[in-house]
Amino acid sequence: MMNAPVPHMFAAPLYAAERLLAEAIHDEHVSVDAVVVLDALAEHVTAEEAPALETVAEDAQLSCEELAAALGDLDDLGYLQELAEHAPPLSELRASLFGKAA
């Protein structure tokens, strides 16, 4: 019986989010605001729906303008795309923001 892979499969999005966050922290091109936003988004990788942008801004303690800039930076650097590949709701959020699919 193959029960062992099931818990690991559920952990894959969380693992990917944590790995991306660790990479972003050490990436000199990623701003502190962008790291905080990535961390806030990582909290939602297993959610069934994408978080509201207001929720992400509140979690990250950023203004809407700061959030938009951080999301743009994360998208430009590929972090948002990679996170979206592991979390379909975040893919929908990315598509609504930038007109791009994962």
Side-chain angles (χ1 to χ4, degrees):
M1 202 154 151
M2 296 185 60
N3 288 340
V6 174
H8 181 68
M9 286 174 26
F10 288 120
L14 296 173
Y15 172 77
E18 291 299 319
R19 180 183 50 77
L20 282 171
L21 188 57
E23 286 178 20
I25 288 169
H26 298 288
D27 186 337
E28 65 186 36
H29 300 102
V30 179
S31 69
V32 172
D33 286 351
V35 169
V36 172
V37 169
L38 188 60
D39 186 38
L41 288 173
E43 297 294 321
H44 300 277
V45 294
T46 58
E48 292 187 24
E49 293 183 359
L53 289 179
E54 295 81 17
T55 301
V56 177
E58 186 176 302
D59 290 349
Q61 299 181 356
L62 298 173
S63 69
C64 290
E65 294 80 21
E66 292 167 326
L67 175 64
L71 286 169
D73 290 347
L74 289 171
D75 195 59
D76 290 345
L77 295 169
Y79 287 96
L80 194 56
Q81 177 182 353
E82 190 168 343
L83 185 62
E85 289 172 359
H86 298 283
L90 295 180
S91 179
E92 295 165 17
L93 176 68
R94 180 174 180 257
S96 72
L97 289 171
F98 303 106
K100 302 174 184 174

